[in-house]
Amino acid sequence: MVQKYTFFIITGMVLIFAYASNTLSVELDKANAISSLAIILILILWAIKRNIKLYFYQLALILCSLIVIAISLKANLISLTLLLLLSIAAFYSGRNMNKAIIFYSILNLILFLIVTSLYFVIGFNLNNDISMWRIDRIIHRSSLGFSHPNQAMIVWLSCGLSLLSFCTKKNTIRISMLVLVLSYIIYLYTKSRTSTYIIILLCLCMIILRKSMNKIVTRRMHLLISIFPLMCTIISYLLLIIPYYPKLDALFSGRIALYRTFYGQYGITLFGNSELENAMFDNSYLQALMSKGFLFTMLFLVILTALITKLKKLTYNDILIMMGFFTCGLTETMLFRLELVLLIIMVMYRHNNYEINIHPRSERRSHTIGDHTQIDSLFLVRK
């Protein structure tokens, strides 16, 4: 029974630790370290109980991630090992991924509602509201109970992505409009632009491609999403070396100048600089390169490329959710947020698990993935 609900237990732990680190006086690195170690222990015990046999590429990548930790002497780099173990657990969790995403979404929305309600009712974390100068005026930004307005929007991003992952041919417009309206309301309080823009763009893409939501993507599209994180890394690095354009920097709210300042002071080294772990980069790829090091970042990209390439099936809904996540990493430091990583893994493996790939007797041979009955029932879709 416990083995059957292992992924649900992990989902609950990840979300509770994530909300604790984003609302209470808990350092993000410490919260991630504690939750990561606890989850790794659970996954190891689960794998032993189920007698899981790993593929050679999985063993090789796990070994490489452990070598990087041993050489750099940085315990926080355990995130690569955790990423691999979660992907293995998702692969062997059978057909429970859709149910796990539903559980993730419901629990996430409940926790978000509790935090925001406490903010409005008793002024929880009201002191985290800020006022700042933007373009030509001072704006007030509400934290909504979180440690920072940006953190509130990133947490909502995890809620929005999970809701959008339910989109099918029949319910895309309804879900997208719901996410757009809620995102706009949250934006009015947080004034967090970049995550809001990503959500708007993602919703528009979902609506335009709604008839293809359940269709399996072509091999070229599959290849594109596998190298998309590498493309984002290259784009991020080019911002450091191309000629400086003030208008472009203003468009990014001064981020490019900030990137160049960090790059000029610390540079990119093999093992990174720990002083930059909590720096306000607003770019996950550059933050990884400078704080965690070139070696870690390259291995991270290799792992992502290998995991995505090995997937047998990806729908248009899957790749849009994944591209939204990776694109947001260009403007936010959120690529290693465990609650978001977990969601992306669940989306990746809901059509790519051991039962479907190894025992596909009950799986229809088709170029589309059937509508999710449990998911559609949440939005009252008639069959």
Side-chain angles (χ1 to χ4, degrees), residues 304-334:
L304 280 180
T305 303
L307 292 179
I308 298 173
T309 303
K310 288 289 183 178
L311 298 175
K312 300 295 183 182
K313 300 174 184 177
L314 282 176
T315 65
Y316 280 90
N317 180 274
D318 298 336
I319 65 166
L320 285 173
I321 297 296
M322 294 163 66
M323 291 183 76
F325 170 71
F326 293 132
T327 302
C328 202
L330 289 169
T331 56
E332 300 287 355
T333 309
M334 40 69 70

mmCIF file of all heavy atoms in Angstrom, residues 304-334:
data_model
loop_
_atom_site.group_PDB
_atom_site.id
_atom_site.type_symbol
_atom_site.label_atom_id
_atom_site.label_comp_id
_atom_site.label_asym_id
_atom_site.label_seq_id
_atom_site.Cartn_x
_atom_site.Cartn_y
_atom_site.Cartn_z
ATOM 1 N N LEU A 304 19.045 16.376 -18.763
ATOM 2 C CA LEU A 304 17.750 16.772 -19.330
ATOM 3 C C LEU A 304 17.590 16.261 -20.757
ATOM 4 O O LEU A 304 16.548 15.709 -21.126
ATOM 5 C CB LEU A 304 17.603 18.296 -19.311
ATOM 6 C CG LEU A 304 17.200 18.955 -18.000
ATOM 7 C CD1 LEU A 304 17.097 20.458 -18.191
ATOM 8 C CD2 LEU A 304 15.869 18.409 -17.497
ATOM 9 N N THR A 305 18.647 16.442 -21.563
ATOM 10 C CA THR A 305 18.588 16.001 -22.961
ATOM 11 C C THR A 305 18.404 14.497 -23.049
ATOM 12 O O THR A 305 17.588 14.001 -23.840
ATOM 13 C CB THR A 305 19.874 16.417 -23.708
ATOM 14 O OG1 THR A 305 20.045 17.831 -23.624
ATOM 15 C CG2 THR A 305 19.805 16.012 -25.170
ATOM 16 N N ALA A 306 19.139 13.751 -22.212
ATOM 17 C CA ALA A 306 19.036 12.290 -22.227
ATOM 18 C C ALA A 306 17.654 11.826 -21.797
ATOM 19 O O ALA A 306 17.050 10.947 -22.433
ATOM 20 C CB ALA A 306 20.107 11.691 -21.315
ATOM 21 N N LEU A 307 17.126 12.413 -20.720
ATOM 22 C CA LEU A 307 15.816 11.995 -20.213
ATOM 23 C C LEU A 307 14.708 12.279 -21.224
ATOM 24 O O LEU A 307 13.834 11.437 -21.465
ATOM 25 C CB LEU A 307 15.504 12.708 -18.898
ATOM 26 C CG LEU A 307 16.363 12.330 -17.682
ATOM 27 C CD1 LEU A 307 15.936 13.135 -16.461
ATOM 28 C CD2 LEU A 307 16.272 10.841 -17.390
ATOM 29 N N ILE A 308 14.742 13.469 -21.834
ATOM 30 C CA ILE A 308 13.690 13.833 -22.791
ATOM 31 C C ILE A 308 13.811 13.009 -24.067
ATOM 32 O O ILE A 308 12.814 12.572 -24.644
ATOM 33 C CB ILE A 308 13.736 15.337 -23.102
ATOM 34 C CG1 ILE A 308 13.471 16.153 -21.828
ATOM 35 C CG2 ILE A 308 12.704 15.701 -24.169
ATOM 36 C CD1 ILE A 308 13.660 17.647 -21.989
ATOM 37 N N THR A 309 15.035 12.779 -24.523
ATOM 38 C CA THR A 309 15.255 11.994 -25.736
ATOM 39 C C THR A 309 14.762 10.566 -25.576
ATOM 40 O O THR A 309 14.227 9.968 -26.517
ATOM 41 C CB THR A 309 16.750 11.986 -26.105
ATOM 42 O OG1 THR A 309 17.211 13.332 -26.272
ATOM 43 C CG2 THR A 309 16.992 11.221 -27.400
ATOM 44 N N LYS A 310 14.911 10.006 -24.376
ATOM 45 C CA LYS A 310 14.511 8.622 -24.121
ATOM 46 C C LYS A 310 12.997 8.435 -24.028
ATOM 47 O O LYS A 310 12.511 7.295 -24.057
ATOM 48 C CB LYS A 310 15.158 8.126 -22.824
ATOM 49 C CG LYS A 310 16.659 7.876 -22.906
ATOM 50 C CD LYS A 310 16.952 6.652 -23.755
ATOM 51 C CE LYS A 310 18.439 6.349 -23.783
ATOM 52 N NZ LYS A 310 18.732 5.119 -24.577
ATOM 53 N N LEU A 311 12.249 9.526 -23.900
ATOM 54 C CA LEU A 311 10.800 9.409 -23.811
ATOM 55 C C LEU A 311 10.228 8.898 -25.125
ATOM 56 O O LEU A 311 10.650 9.312 -26.201
ATOM 57 C CB LEU A 311 10.174 10.767 -23.476
ATOM 58 C CG LEU A 311 10.581 11.397 -22.136
ATOM 59 C CD1 LEU A 311 9.975 12.791 -22.009
ATOM 60 C CD2 LEU A 311 10.165 10.522 -20.962
ATOM 61 N N LYS A 312 9.257 7.991 -25.025
ATOM 62 C CA LYS A 312 8.658 7.414 -26.228
ATOM 63 C C LYS A 312 7.570 8.304 -26.816
ATOM 64 O O LYS A 312 7.403 8.367 -28.038
ATOM 65 C CB LYS A 312 8.060 6.043 -25.897
ATOM 66 C CG LYS A 312 9.066 5.030 -25.380
ATOM 67 C CD LYS A 312 10.097 4.680 -26.433
ATOM 68 C CE LYS A 312 11.047 3.605 -25.908
ATOM 69 N NZ LYS A 312 12.092 3.267 -26.904
ATOM 70 N N LYS A 313 6.795 8.944 -25.942
ATOM 71 C CA LYS A 313 5.660 9.742 -26.401
ATOM 72 C C LYS A 313 5.637 11.091 -25.698
ATOM 73 O O LYS A 313 5.813 11.160 -24.485
ATOM 74 C CB LYS A 313 4.334 9.022 -26.123
ATOM 75 C CG LYS A 313 4.178 7.674 -26.776
ATOM 76 C CD LYS A 313 2.892 7.011 -26.314
ATOM 77 C CE LYS A 313 2.753 5.607 -26.887
ATOM 78 N NZ LYS A 313 1.531 4.931 -26.370
ATOM 79 N N LEU A 314 5.404 12.135 -26.461
ATOM 80 C CA LEU A 314 5.150 13.462 -25.916
ATOM 81 C C LEU A 314 4.015 14.085 -26.716
ATOM 82 O O LEU A 314 4.034 14.069 -27.950
ATOM 83 C CB LEU A 314 6.396 14.349 -26.002
ATOM 84 C CG LEU A 314 7.497 14.133 -24.960
ATOM 85 C CD1 LEU A 314 8.698 15.024 -25.269
ATOM 86 C CD2 LEU A 314 6.984 14.419 -23.556
ATOM 87 N N THR A 315 3.028 14.627 -26.013
ATOM 88 C CA THR A 315 1.939 15.310 -26.700
ATOM 89 C C THR A 315 2.262 16.797 -26.792
ATOM 90 O O THR A 315 3.210 17.286 -26.145
ATOM 91 C CB THR A 315 0.612 15.116 -25.951
ATOM 92 O OG1 THR A 315 0.713 15.765 -24.673
ATOM 93 C CG2 THR A 315 0.300 13.636 -25.766
ATOM 94 N N TYR A 316 1.454 17.509 -27.567
ATOM 95 C CA TYR A 316 1.654 18.957 -27.685
ATOM 96 C C TYR A 316 1.434 19.642 -26.338
ATOM 97 O O TYR A 316 2.091 20.634 -26.021
ATOM 98 C CB TYR A 316 0.716 19.533 -28.745
ATOM 99 C CG TYR A 316 1.211 19.322 -30.150
ATOM 100 C CD1 TYR A 316 0.854 18.183 -30.864
ATOM 101 C CD2 TYR A 316 2.068 20.236 -30.746
ATOM 102 C CE1 TYR A 316 1.337 17.970 -32.159
ATOM 103 C CE2 TYR A 316 2.544 20.039 -32.032
ATOM 104 C CZ TYR A 316 2.177 18.897 -32.729
ATOM 105 O OH TYR A 316 2.666 18.698 -34.010
ATOM 106 N N ASN A 317 0.519 19.110 -25.547
ATOM 107 C CA ASN A 317 0.320 19.664 -24.210
ATOM 108 C C ASN A 317 1.581 19.498 -23.368
ATOM 109 O O ASN A 317 2.010 20.430 -22.671
ATOM 110 C CB ASN A 317 -0.862 18.971 -23.532
ATOM 111 C CG ASN A 317 -1.112 19.502 -22.133
ATOM 112 O OD1 ASN A 317 -0.518 19.050 -21.174
ATOM 113 N ND2 ASN A 317 -1.992 20.484 -22.036
ATOM 114 N N ASP A 318 2.206 18.329 -23.442
ATOM 115 C CA ASP A 318 3.423 18.068 -22.679
ATOM 116 C C ASP A 318 4.532 19.061 -23.030
ATOM 117 O O ASP A 318 5.149 19.659 -22.147
ATOM 118 C CB ASP A 318 3.930 16.638 -22.939
ATOM 119 C CG ASP A 318 2.951 15.571 -22.500
ATOM 120 O OD1 ASP A 318 2.129 15.854 -21.612
ATOM 121 O OD2 ASP A 318 3.010 14.455 -23.052
ATOM 122 N N ILE A 319 4.783 19.228 -24.328
ATOM 123 C CA ILE A 319 5.915 20.071 -24.717
ATOM 124 C C ILE A 319 5.642 21.547 -24.433
ATOM 125 O O ILE A 319 6.573 22.305 -24.138
ATOM 126 C CB ILE A 319 6.322 19.868 -26.194
ATOM 127 C CG1 ILE A 319 5.222 20.325 -27.142
ATOM 128 C CG2 ILE A 319 6.691 18.423 -26.468
ATOM 129 C CD1 ILE A 319 5.708 20.452 -28.579
ATOM 130 N N LEU A 320 4.377 21.971 -24.502
ATOM 131 C CA LEU A 320 4.068 23.366 -24.184
ATOM 132 C C LEU A 320 4.314 23.645 -22.707
ATOM 133 O O LEU A 320 4.869 24.693 -22.346
ATOM 134 C CB LEU A 320 2.619 23.694 -24.560
ATOM 135 C CG LEU A 320 2.327 23.868 -26.056
ATOM 136 C CD1 LEU A 320 0.838 24.023 -26.298
ATOM 137 C CD2 LEU A 320 3.091 25.063 -26.620
ATOM 138 N N ILE A 321 3.923 22.726 -21.838
ATOM 139 C CA ILE A 321 4.188 22.881 -20.408
ATOM 140 C C ILE A 321 5.688 22.917 -20.146
ATOM 141 O O ILE A 321 6.197 23.775 -19.397
ATOM 142 C CB ILE A 321 3.543 21.734 -19.604
ATOM 143 C CG1 ILE A 321 2.019 21.762 -19.737
ATOM 144 C CG2 ILE A 321 3.949 21.817 -18.135
ATOM 145 C CD1 ILE A 321 1.356 22.978 -19.174
ATOM 146 N N MET A 322 6.434 22.024 -20.776
ATOM 147 C CA MET A 322 7.883 21.963 -20.580
ATOM 148 C C MET A 322 8.567 23.221 -21.115
ATOM 149 O O MET A 322 9.456 23.776 -20.468
ATOM 150 C CB MET A 322 8.442 20.706 -21.256
ATOM 151 C CG MET A 322 7.966 19.402 -20.594
ATOM 152 S SD MET A 322 8.211 17.939 -21.626
ATOM 153 C CE MET A 322 10.001 17.861 -21.686
ATOM 154 N N MET A 323 8.142 23.681 -22.297
ATOM 155 C CA MET A 323 8.748 24.889 -22.867
ATOM 156 C C MET A 323 8.420 26.122 -22.035
ATOM 157 O O MET A 323 9.253 27.024 -21.903
ATOM 158 C CB MET A 323 8.283 25.075 -24.317
ATOM 159 C CG MET A 323 8.822 24.035 -25.273
ATOM 160 S SD MET A 323 8.352 24.289 -26.998
ATOM 161 C CE MET A 323 9.444 25.636 -27.458
ATOM 162 N N GLY A 324 7.217 26.172 -21.470
ATOM 163 C CA GLY A 324 6.872 27.275 -20.576
ATOM 164 C C GLY A 324 7.784 27.314 -19.368
ATOM 165 O O GLY A 324 8.252 28.387 -18.954
ATOM 166 N N PHE A 325 8.062 26.147 -18.802
ATOM 167 C CA PHE A 325 8.964 26.043 -17.645
ATOM 168 C C PHE A 325 10.380 26.486 -18.001
ATOM 169 O O PHE A 325 10.982 27.315 -17.306
ATOM 170 C CB PHE A 325 8.962 24.598 -17.143
ATOM 171 C CG PHE A 325 10.012 24.293 -16.114
ATOM 172 C CD1 PHE A 325 9.906 24.799 -14.824
ATOM 173 C CD2 PHE A 325 11.100 23.496 -16.425
ATOM 174 C CE1 PHE A 325 10.877 24.514 -13.862
ATOM 175 C CE2 PHE A 325 12.064 23.202 -15.483
ATOM 176 C CZ PHE A 325 11.950 23.720 -14.199
ATOM 177 N N PHE A 326 10.921 25.956 -19.093
ATOM 178 C CA PHE A 326 12.298 26.291 -19.480
ATOM 179 C C PHE A 326 12.423 27.758 -19.904
ATOM 180 O O PHE A 326 13.451 28.396 -19.630
ATOM 181 C CB PHE A 326 12.766 25.380 -20.622
ATOM 182 C CG PHE A 326 12.916 23.937 -20.232
ATOM 183 C CD1 PHE A 326 12.381 22.930 -21.018
ATOM 184 C CD2 PHE A 326 13.583 23.580 -19.075
ATOM 185 C CE1 PHE A 326 12.517 21.595 -20.664
ATOM 186 C CE2 PHE A 326 13.722 22.252 -18.701
ATOM 187 C CZ PHE A 326 13.181 21.258 -19.502
ATOM 188 N N THR A 327 11.403 28.304 -20.556
ATOM 189 C CA THR A 327 11.440 29.708 -20.967
ATOM 190 C C THR A 327 11.424 30.627 -19.752
ATOM 191 O O THR A 327 12.121 31.645 -19.717
ATOM 192 C CB THR A 327 10.248 30.030 -21.885
ATOM 193 O OG1 THR A 327 10.276 29.169 -23.027
ATOM 194 C CG2 THR A 327 10.310 31.475 -22.353
ATOM 195 N N CYS A 328 10.626 30.268 -18.762
ATOM 196 C CA CYS A 328 10.554 31.090 -17.549
ATOM 197 C C CYS A 328 11.902 31.148 -16.845
ATOM 198 O O CYS A 328 12.207 32.118 -16.146
ATOM 199 C CB CYS A 328 9.483 30.527 -16.613
ATOM 200 S SG CYS A 328 8.838 31.725 -15.437
ATOM 201 N N GLY A 329 12.731 30.120 -17.045
ATOM 202 C CA GLY A 329 14.065 30.113 -16.462
ATOM 203 C C GLY A 329 14.961 31.215 -17.000
ATOM 204 O O GLY A 329 15.976 31.556 -16.382
ATOM 205 N N LEU A 330 14.588 31.808 -18.140
ATOM 206 C CA LEU A 330 15.370 32.912 -18.708
ATOM 207 C C LEU A 330 15.205 34.202 -17.914
ATOM 208 O O LEU A 330 16.067 35.082 -17.969
ATOM 209 C CB LEU A 330 14.950 33.156 -20.160
ATOM 210 C CG LEU A 330 15.364 32.097 -21.186
ATOM 211 C CD1 LEU A 330 14.647 32.335 -22.509
ATOM 212 C CD2 LEU A 330 16.873 32.102 -21.399
ATOM 213 N N THR A 331 14.097 34.323 -17.192
ATOM 214 C CA THR A 331 13.822 35.579 -16.492
ATOM 215 C C THR A 331 13.586 35.401 -14.993
ATOM 216 O O THR A 331 13.337 36.384 -14.294
ATOM 217 C CB THR A 331 12.584 36.265 -17.098
ATOM 218 O OG1 THR A 331 11.476 35.345 -17.059
ATOM 219 C CG2 THR A 331 12.843 36.668 -18.542
ATOM 220 N N GLU A 332 13.631 34.164 -14.505
ATOM 221 C CA GLU A 332 13.437 33.901 -13.081
ATOM 222 C C GLU A 332 14.433 32.847 -12.611
ATOM 223 O O GLU A 332 14.831 31.974 -13.385
ATOM 224 C CB GLU A 332 12.006 33.402 -12.793
ATOM 225 C CG GLU A 332 10.900 34.366 -13.174
ATOM 226 C CD GLU A 332 10.791 35.562 -12.236
ATOM 227 O OE1 GLU A 332 11.523 35.592 -11.227
ATOM 228 O OE2 GLU A 332 9.971 36.458 -12.509
ATOM 229 N N THR A 333 14.809 32.941 -11.339
ATOM 230 C CA THR A 333 15.686 31.922 -10.756
ATOM 231 C C THR A 333 14.809 30.833 -10.162
ATOM 232 O O THR A 333 14.530 30.806 -8.956
ATOM 233 C CB THR A 333 16.598 32.529 -9.669
ATOM 234 O OG1 THR A 333 17.244 33.691 -10.195
ATOM 235 C CG2 THR A 333 17.662 31.538 -9.224
ATOM 236 N N MET A 334 14.337 29.914 -11.025
ATOM 237 C CA MET A 334 13.365 28.919 -10.582
ATOM 238 C C MET A 334 13.579 27.543 -11.206
ATOM 239 O O MET A 334 12.790 26.636 -10.986
ATOM 240 C CB MET A 334 11.941 29.398 -10.910
ATOM 241 C CG MET A 334 11.761 30.081 -12.252
ATOM 242 S SD MET A 334 11.929 29.023 -13.702
ATOM 243 C CE MET A 334 10.477 28.032 -13.566
#
